[in-house]
Amino acid sequence: MPAQETLTVAVRVKPGASRDRVGGRFDGPHGPALVIAVHDPAVDGRATEAARRALAAALGIRPAAVSLRAGAASRDKLFLVDRPAWELSARLRRLRDGSAE
């Protein structure tokens, strides 16, 4: 199976959480989204940046491989993962749908 160039990940960000946490599902405007709670406030892009880094950490990839595609000023965001490994889709589903942990 050929590798995809990018993987689009729908995310629902919850800023101002007591701690960073990745996991859970939110049915948002981009379809089923992974919930990412971050400690950073929704000011000056801080929550978006924290969510980008938290997503990379949860998927076990470099933060540089994750970029924002849409939703800079929204809680509902689309992130792109560059050159995802085949197992990332399964890991993402487990985080979002809770079939592991």
Side-chain angles (χ1 to χ4, degrees):
M1 181 167 88
Q4 295 174 260
E5 287 298 313
T6 60
L7 173 68
T8 301
V9 181
V11 166
R12 172 70 168 198
V13 177
K14 294 187 174 183
S18 59
R19 64 182 178 91
D20 292 356
R21 189 182 71 75
V22 177
R25 178 184 173 129
F26 177 82
D27 291 320
H30 304 297
L34 175 64
V35 176
I36 301 179
V38 295
H39 180 73
D40 293 68
V43 176
D44 297 328
R46 288 171 52 192
T48 299
E49 176 60 16
R52 185 182 72 83
R53 291 183 172 279
L55 177 60
L59 295 176
I61 59 177
R62 298 175 301 111
V66 179
S67 60
L68 181 67
R69 178 178 152 205
S74 171
R75 290 177 186 236
D76 298 301
K77 302 181 184 302
L78 291 176
F79 285 100
L80 292 179
V81 177
D82 290 331
R83 296 183 188 81
W86 64 270
E87 69 272 6
L88 276 189
S89 290
R91 189 177 303 164
L92 178 61
R93 277 192 301 277
R94 285 194 303 272
L95 286 166
R96 186 188 63 209
D97 300 329
S99 54
E101 245 190 346

